[in-house]
Amino acid sequence: MRFIGITGGVGAGKSEILRYIKERWECEIYLADEVAHLVQQPGTKAYSALVALLGPDVTEGDGGICRSAMADRIFADPSLLEQVNGIVHPAVKEYLLERLEEASAAGETELFIVEAALLIEGGYLALVDEMWYIYADERVRRERLLASRGYTGEKTARIMASQLTDREFRDNCDFVIDNSGDFAETCRQIDNRLREIHKDRRRVPKGREQR
């Protein structure tokens, strides 16, 4: 089983690529943002630590943490952001490593994948077997974000400026997928890389045996 991190800037098309991989390969896929929400549920260590840090007024009627209330607390006291991250990020890694151990023990999964825009900054290079950078040129990303999310040029520019540069992504990743053009070409790049990873095991993608 191969542990792969998938990262890239906003609008690069990571979600579409993950859907493609899930359809054709035996894999487990985790979105770091979704895992972060899971590890903040009532009853978890992270939940208790966050409530102790931020106060009980950040909880909702059902006991869960209110994201907007937490954001308000952080906005009022930016020093809290580092402390919140110091609780949530380790909890996310612990959760993923537990799932990785379970998947490895079961022996039924070819690929274990985690996706986030901030994998490099979050220290995941030390955890994954290889890091993929999903690249798309800036014009394409802007067009996608306008069409799919209605982002203004100003909002897109602000988000892009907060993320790693193309050079920083490339310098820290093992494999680059160019998702700027025809998606069929993107799929070819994905399949070629995954076949290369599994060539010694003589694996092929699901649904490809009859082609």
Side-chain angles (χ1 to χ4, degrees):
M1 187 175 64
R2 193 78 169 168
F3 186 6
I4 297 175
I6 290 185
T7 191
V10 63
K14 298 186 293 296
S15 296
E16 187 176 19
I17 284 171
L18 289 172
R19 283 194 294 270
Y20 176 80
I21 294 173
K22 186 175 183 178
E23 289 173 357
R24 287 165 170 77
W25 296 84
E26 297 293 344
C27 61
E28 290 189 23
I29 296 175
Y30 295 89
L31 309 184
D33 287 346
E34 292 183 358
V35 175
H37 182 66
L38 285 175
V39 301
Q40 295 177 54
Q41 297 302 304
T44 64
K45 291 186 294 184
Y47 172 87
S48 299
L50 288 170
V51 173
L53 173 66
L54 302 173
D57 56 329
V58 299
T59 61
E60 299 180 299
D62 61 359
I65 292 176
C66 175
R67 292 189 175 188
S68 61
M70 183 165 67
D72 288 343
R73 288 296 310 278
I74 293 172
F75 181 78
D77 183 0
S79 66
L80 289 175
L81 178 59
E82 185 175 351
Q83 296 178 69
V84 168
N85 287 339
I87 294 169
V88 175
H89 291 177
V92 170
K93 289 180 181 178
E94 181 180 358
Y95 178 94
L96 290 171
L97 290 175
E98 288 175 354
R99 302 292 83 74
L100 176 66
E101 184 176 354
E102 291 172 358
S104 180
E108 299 175 354
T109 300
E110 295 178 301
L111 306 168
F112 188 94
I113 297 172
V114 58
E115 179 275 331
L118 302 176
L119 288 184
I120 295 169
E121 299 94 316
Y124 282 82
L125 289 172
L127 300 180
V128 301
D129 294 315
E130 64 182 65
M131 188 73 75
W132 288 15
Y133 168 38
I134 310 305
Y135 165 80
D137 67 56
E138 186 173 316
R139 177 188 58 80
V140 170
R141 292 164 62 196
R142 288 178 179 276
E143 291 174 353
R144 287 174 180 165
L145 291 170
L146 176 61
S148 65
R149 306 185 196 180
Y151 283 8
T152 64
E154 181 182 356
K155 181 173 183 178
T156 297
R158 185 170 64 251
I159 297 173
M160 288 182 174
S162 71
Q163 297 182 330
L164 295 180
T165 65
D166 176 63
R167 176 47 54 195
E168 288 170 324
F169 274 120
R170 289 178 184 272
D171 286 347
N172 285 280
C173 291
D174 305 291
F175 184 66
V176 178
I177 292 177
D178 188 340
N179 191 36
S180 298
D182 183 62
F183 192 65
E185 169 57 22
T186 299
C187 295
R188 185 191 66 79
Q189 296 172 61
I190 295 168
D191 285 342
N192 285 347
R193 178 56 184 161
L194 294 180
R195 288 193 186 101
E196 183 178 344
I197 289 173
H198 294 288
K199 63 182 178 181
D200 292 336
R201 299 172 62 187
R202 301 180 185 278
R203 301 274 188 173
V204 293
K206 292 187 296 183
R208 297 296 181 88
E209 295 87 347
Q210 298 177 354
R211 292 190 178 183

